[in-house]
């Protein structure tokens, strides 16, 4: 069940990131998040109410702390998606995001079977392989600071903190930790909006306009929130390290969608990486 939930979260995250990146390229990261985050809050609040768990102060506090890191990661990640190829940005972010929860899970005593360990290692290798994209047209120093990889790494660290803290919230409070995290997301985004408006004289850049673009933004926020729910349920039913690694396979979805929509070419190493990811998932499933 943990495998199914985590892979479902990966699918939802992958599609959400692709849609959010598409919106950010037409508008700005903050303008996109002003649509995505509120609708995501509505989704997780509804899910928490339906789930029936009672909110507790610790669960909301853990969630809010996770949301502060996640909100910072979202701003950085959407900015990176707008600047660089999705086939680079998403895997780099995911690799950084996977390492922290795995390390935390191992430190707190989580033990995996040999087959699962092999699958987890293959998944980590696959994330790295899928991230190996070359931008021959830009100098190395520009690629690092302007095209997205550095921002993607920063966002990945933020997401890693988000996954770790959210996973540490435990089962108390049901899905309310995610509600707390969305409040944290909103706090970060609104603060960033206020600072940007002050620094840029009231200009946030191009707006999200048109029914199609607004619909994409709302769908992105909905899927991202749904992925949060699936991830938390996965951590409540199994190991944080396992759920985090499988969830972090979402770049495979983003890369494939970018290949179809933007004709971003997959290098041979990326194709092999996708095959390695599939093998890792099979091993995790067999040993789980």
């Amino acid at each position: 069940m943990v495998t199914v939930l985590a892979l479902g979260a990966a699918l939802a995250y992958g599609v959400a990131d692709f849609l959010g990146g598409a919106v950010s390229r037409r508008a700005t990261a903050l303008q996109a998040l002003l649509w995505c985050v509120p609708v995501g809050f509505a989704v997780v609040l509804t899910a928490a109410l339906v789930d029936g768990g009672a909110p507790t102060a610790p669960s909301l506090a853990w969630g809010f702390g996770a949301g502060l890191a996640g909100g910072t990661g979202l701003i950085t990640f959407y900015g990176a998606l707008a600047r660089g190829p999705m086939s680079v940005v998403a895997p780099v972010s995911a690799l950084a995001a996977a390492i922290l929860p795995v390390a935390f899970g191992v430190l707190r005593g989580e033990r995996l079977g040999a087959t699962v360990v092999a699958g987890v290692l293959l998944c980590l290798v696959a994330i790295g392989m899928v991230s190996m994209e070359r931008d021959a047209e830009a100098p190395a120093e520009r690629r690092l600071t302007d095209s997205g990889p550095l921002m993607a790494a920063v966002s990945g660290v933020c997401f890693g903190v988000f996954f770790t803290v959210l996973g540490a919230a435990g089962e108390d409070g049901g899905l309310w930790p995610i509600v707390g995290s969305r409040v944290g997301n909103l706090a970060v985004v609104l603060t960033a909006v206020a600072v940007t408006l002050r620094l840029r004289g009231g200009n946030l850049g191009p707006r999200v306009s048109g029914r199609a673009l607004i619909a994409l933004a709302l769908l992105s926020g909905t899927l991202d929130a749904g992925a949060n729910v699936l991830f938390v349920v996965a951590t409540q039913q199994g190991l944080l390290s396992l759920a985090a690694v499988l969830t972090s396979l979402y770049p495979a979805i983003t890369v494939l969608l970018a290949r179809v929509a933007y004709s971003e070419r997959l290098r041979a190493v990326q194709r092999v990486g996708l095959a390695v990811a599939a093998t890792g998932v099979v091993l995790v499933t067999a040993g789980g």
Side-chain angles (χ1 to χ4, degrees):
M1 181 58 71
V2 175
T3 301
V4 174
L5 291 169
L7 290 177
L11 176 62
Y13 274 133
V15 178
D17 288 347
F18 171 77
L19 297 178
V23 175
S24 296
R25 290 184 175 189
R26 297 284 298 274
T28 64
L30 284 178
Q31 292 281 20
L33 288 171
L34 283 175
W35 287 90
C36 296
V37 174
V39 71
F41 174 76
V43 170
V44 298
L45 179 60
T46 301
L49 291 171
V50 171
D51 180 63
T56 64
S59 66
L60 292 175
W62 278 107
F64 183 77
L68 294 179
T72 304
L74 281 173
I75 293 173
T76 312
F77 184 66
Y78 274 46
L81 286 173
R83 291 169 181 253
M86 292 186 186
S87 56
V88 176
V89 171
V92 169
S93 178
L95 181 59
I99 292 174
L100 284 177
V102 170
F104 179 77
V106 171
L107 287 175
R108 73 176 186 178
E110 292 185 356
R111 294 293 180 263
L112 305 174
T115 303
V116 177
V117 169
V120 167
L121 291 176
L122 283 179
C123 289
L124 289 173
V125 170
I127 294 169
M129 293 177 73
V130 176
S131 72
M132 293 181 183
E133 177 73 14
R134 183 172 56 235
D135 186 355
E137 298 180 358
E141 61 273 13
R142 184 174 184 273
R143 291 202 302 272
L144 181 64
T145 59
D146 185 54
S147 65
L150 179 60
M151 295 175 67
V154 172
S155 72
V157 172
C158 292
F159 289 147
V161 173
F162 170 78
F163 287 143
T164 302
V165 175
L166 204 57
E171 298 184 20
D172 292 339
L175 296 179
W176 287 98
I178 316 176
V179 177
S181 75
R182 283 290 155 167
V183 175
N185 289 168
L186 281 170
V188 171
V189 171
L190 293 178
T191 299
V193 168
V195 172
T196 303
L197 287 174
R198 183 175 181 82
L199 293 178
R200 296 184 180 179
N203 180 24
L204 279 180
R207 295 183 177 182
V208 178
S209 59
R211 292 182 179 179
L213 205 60
I214 290 174
L216 291 180
L218 294 177
L219 181 57
S220 175
T222 300
L223 289 172
D224 182 73
N228 287 172
V229 173
L230 290 173
F231 173 76
V232 167
V233 175
T235 61
Q236 291 175 348
Q237 296 193 9
L239 301 179
L240 169 63
S241 54
L242 179 58
V245 169
L246 292 178
T247 298
S248 294
L249 289 172
Y250 66 83
I253 306 300
T254 306
V255 167
L256 289 175
L257 290 175
R259 175 70 180 90
V260 173
Y262 299 119
S263 298
E264 292 185 6
R265 295 183 178 180
L266 294 179
R267 296 175 62 200
V269 67
Q270 289 179 302
R271 296 190 184 96
V272 174
L274 293 177
V276 171
T279 303
V281 170
V282 170
L283 288 176
V284 168
T285 303

